[in-house]
Amino acid sequence: MGFFPYLTFICMLNFHLFQTIASDTPDGSTLQTYIVHVDGPDGLPNRLDDLDSWYDTFLSTFTAASGERRRMIYSYHNVFKGFAARLSADELKAMENKVGFVSAHPERKLSLHTTHSPNFLGLNQNMGFWNESNYGKGVIIGVLDTGIFPDHPSFSDKGMPPPPAKWKGKCDFNVTTKCNNKLIGARYFNSFDGPIDDNGHGTHTASTAAGNFVRGANVFGNANGTAVGIAPLAHLAIYKVCSVSCSESDILAAMDAAIDDGVDILSLSLGGFANNFYDDSIALGAYSAMEKVVVQ
Ligand SMILES: *[C@@H]1O[C@H](CO)[C@@H](O)[C@H](O)[C@H]1NC(C)=O
Ligand SMILES: *[C@@H]1O[C@H](CO)[C@@H](O)[C@H](O)[C@H]1NC(C)=O
Ligand SMILES: *[C@@H]1O[C@H](CO)[C@@H](O)[C@H](O)[C@H]1NC(C)=O
């Protein structure tokens, strides 16, 4: 029999390597995007313009004459010294002999797997378990994390019914911010002066768990679509217990309060305690919560 002392929403970015993408030049040679690392033997130029000009010198000999698309795709200043550029195999060979060249590798295409969690769980739109579960309608999810950005569109209460009558939680935002039928509670514990998220992690986990449907979500026009949490009709009760780290005493106080408040599910996306359950106060708190019929 499976026993899950607590449930965590863990967001993982699993990088997958795909084929690199090549394109052809008018003269028939194949161009490929390379990530090139460089370093100056006598130190690097200080000014960004000078750095960019120096990067350009790695390309100039074989790209100056042609009327082709620009070969330099990005010049990097902070992640490392180097650039991304479209090169043929011969051009790369020539570049390897230049003073300052360190290394180059063909660009890899990475894919994010975060948004595939619903597929992994076998949840499909308009049919099957996701639909039959009623999208979490009537369920209260308590999120112990870094707090919340209450104005985020994922926490709109459009289409949300009022919280169940059993709800006894509090909304401790300041006067200008109110709870709504999605965000039904917001509390904070020692060493914080409000439930506002100062980090982003709590907003991320809360919207992953129960974010409302947000149409037209995109990043600079990419991946335009509908963003939605796993349980878009569930209510959210926020317990701020973390900023960059989370104190055990605050976590336990929040779990304690959440049980009183009437949450149905606790979501904790934090860890670091010992492996042994007997040494792990979250596991112990979760066990008590489970005894009080809070699933975690
Ligand atoms: C989704 O579930 C509702 C009941 O919860 C049902 O009436 C409806 O037919 C379902 N939709 C599909 C496409 O199965
Ligand atoms: C109240 O909270 C909002 C964020 O929701 C914040 O911008 C504002 O500064 C806060 N006001 C006070 C007086 O703390
Ligand atoms: C996103 O898609 C919607 C619907 O197709 C469209 O109305 C909107 O303009 C798109 N937004 C962007 C930034 O592409």
Side-chain angles (χ1 to χ4, degrees), residues 150-151 173-177 196:
D151 300 331
F173 288 122
N174 65 29
V175 284
T176 51
T177 306
I196 301 291

PDB file of all heavy atoms in Angstrom, residues 150-151 173-177 196, ligand 2:
ATOM      1  N   PRO A 150      -0.470  38.848  -5.423  1.00  0.00           N
ATOM      2  CA  PRO A 150      -1.925  38.699  -5.518  1.00  0.00           C
ATOM      3  C   PRO A 150      -2.516  39.222  -6.820  1.00  0.00           C
ATOM      4  O   PRO A 150      -3.596  38.789  -7.230  1.00  0.00           O
ATOM      5  CB  PRO A 150      -2.450  39.497  -4.316  1.00  0.00           C
ATOM      6  CG  PRO A 150      -1.339  40.402  -3.925  1.00  0.00           C
ATOM      7  CD  PRO A 150      -0.068  39.754  -4.341  1.00  0.00           C
ATOM      8  N   ASP A 151      -1.803  40.137  -7.480  1.00  0.00           N
ATOM      9  CA  ASP A 151      -2.366  40.727  -8.703  1.00  0.00           C
ATOM     10  C   ASP A 151      -2.109  39.891  -9.944  1.00  0.00           C
ATOM     11  O   ASP A 151      -2.540  40.242 -11.041  1.00  0.00           O
ATOM     12  CB  ASP A 151      -1.780  42.133  -8.920  1.00  0.00           C
ATOM     13  CG  ASP A 151      -2.110  43.054  -7.763  1.00  0.00           C
ATOM     14  OD1 ASP A 151      -3.168  42.831  -7.129  1.00  0.00           O
ATOM     15  OD2 ASP A 151      -1.314  43.967  -7.483  1.00  0.00           O
ATOM     16  N   PHE A 173      -3.535  40.491   4.016  1.00  0.00           N
ATOM     17  CA  PHE A 173      -2.928  41.522   3.167  1.00  0.00           C
ATOM     18  C   PHE A 173      -3.168  42.871   3.824  1.00  0.00           C
ATOM     19  O   PHE A 173      -3.987  43.006   4.731  1.00  0.00           O
ATOM     20  CB  PHE A 173      -3.583  41.536   1.775  1.00  0.00           C
ATOM     21  CG  PHE A 173      -3.214  40.369   0.915  1.00  0.00           C
ATOM     22  CD1 PHE A 173      -4.200  39.530   0.411  1.00  0.00           C
ATOM     23  CD2 PHE A 173      -1.887  40.111   0.573  1.00  0.00           C
ATOM     24  CE1 PHE A 173      -3.878  38.461  -0.398  1.00  0.00           C
ATOM     25  CE2 PHE A 173      -1.562  39.032  -0.235  1.00  0.00           C
ATOM     26  CZ  PHE A 173      -2.546  38.215  -0.718  1.00  0.00           C
ATOM     27  N   ASN A 174      -2.482  43.892   3.322  1.00  0.00           N
ATOM     28  CA  ASN A 174      -2.755  45.226   3.854  1.00  0.00           C
ATOM     29  C   ASN A 174      -4.069  45.754   3.244  1.00  0.00           C
ATOM     30  O   ASN A 174      -4.706  45.088   2.442  1.00  0.00           O
ATOM     31  CB  ASN A 174      -1.561  46.159   3.618  1.00  0.00           C
ATOM     32  CG  ASN A 174      -1.329  46.405   2.145  1.00  0.00           C
ATOM     33  OD1 ASN A 174      -2.255  46.368   1.351  1.00  0.00           O
ATOM     34  ND2 ASN A 174      -0.082  46.674   1.791  1.00  0.00           N
ATOM     35  N   VAL A 175      -4.430  46.959   3.590  1.00  0.00           N
ATOM     36  CA  VAL A 175      -5.752  47.467   3.205  1.00  0.00           C
ATOM     37  C   VAL A 175      -5.973  47.537   1.701  1.00  0.00           C
ATOM     38  O   VAL A 175      -7.104  47.428   1.230  1.00  0.00           O
ATOM     39  CB  VAL A 175      -6.014  48.864   3.814  1.00  0.00           C
ATOM     40  CG1 VAL A 175      -6.336  48.737   5.283  1.00  0.00           C
ATOM     41  CG2 VAL A 175      -4.852  49.811   3.561  1.00  0.00           C
ATOM     42  N   THR A 176      -4.896  47.710   0.928  1.00  0.00           N
ATOM     43  CA  THR A 176      -5.095  47.924  -0.510  1.00  0.00           C
ATOM     44  C   THR A 176      -5.324  46.616  -1.277  1.00  0.00           C
ATOM     45  O   THR A 176      -5.822  46.631  -2.389  1.00  0.00           O
ATOM     46  CB  THR A 176      -3.892  48.668  -1.139  1.00  0.00           C
ATOM     47  OG1 THR A 176      -2.691  47.987  -0.768  1.00  0.00           O
ATOM     48  CG2 THR A 176      -3.830  50.099  -0.651  1.00  0.00           C
ATOM     49  N   THR A 177      -4.963  45.490  -0.715  1.00  0.00           N
ATOM     50  CA  THR A 177      -5.115  44.212  -1.409  1.00  0.00           C
ATOM     51  C   THR A 177      -6.154  43.367  -0.687  1.00  0.00           C
ATOM     52  O   THR A 177      -6.167  43.298   0.542  1.00  0.00           O
ATOM     53  CB  THR A 177      -3.767  43.457  -1.439  1.00  0.00           C
ATOM     54  OG1 THR A 177      -2.786  44.314  -1.992  1.00  0.00           O
ATOM     55  CG2 THR A 177      -3.869  42.196  -2.263  1.00  0.00           C
ATOM     56  N   ILE A 196       3.073  39.056   0.872  1.00  0.00           N
ATOM     57  CA  ILE A 196       3.501  39.306  -0.508  1.00  0.00           C
ATOM     58  C   ILE A 196       4.776  38.509  -0.814  1.00  0.00           C
ATOM     59  O   ILE A 196       5.676  38.413   0.009  1.00  0.00           O
ATOM     60  CB  ILE A 196       3.765  40.822  -0.728  1.00  0.00           C
ATOM     61  CG1 ILE A 196       2.501  41.644  -0.444  1.00  0.00           C
ATOM     62  CG2 ILE A 196       4.288  41.095  -2.137  1.00  0.00           C
ATOM     63  CD1 ILE A 196       1.378  41.451  -1.432  1.00  0.00           C
TER      64      ILE A 196
HETATM   65  C1  LIG B   2       0.083  46.974   0.319  1.00  0.00           C
HETATM   66  O1  LIG B   2       0.330  45.886  -0.574  1.00  0.00           O
HETATM   67  C2  LIG B   2       0.635  46.279  -1.882  1.00  0.00           C
HETATM   68  C3  LIG B   2       0.840  45.038  -2.706  1.00  0.00           C
HETATM   69  O2  LIG B   2      -0.336  44.313  -2.816  1.00  0.00           O
HETATM   70  C4  LIG B   2       1.890  47.129  -1.880  1.00  0.00           C
HETATM   71  O3  LIG B   2       2.164  47.565  -3.187  1.00  0.00           O
HETATM   72  C5  LIG B   2       1.718  48.333  -0.954  1.00  0.00           C
HETATM   73  O4  LIG B   2       2.918  49.028  -0.871  1.00  0.00           O
HETATM   74  C6  LIG B   2       1.294  47.867   0.430  1.00  0.00           C
HETATM   75  N1  LIG B   2       1.019  49.016   1.265  1.00  0.00           N
HETATM   76  C7  LIG B   2       1.468  49.115   2.506  1.00  0.00           C
HETATM   77  C8  LIG B   2       1.056  50.344   3.249  1.00  0.00           C
HETATM   78  O5  LIG B   2       2.170  48.266   3.021  1.00  0.00           O
END
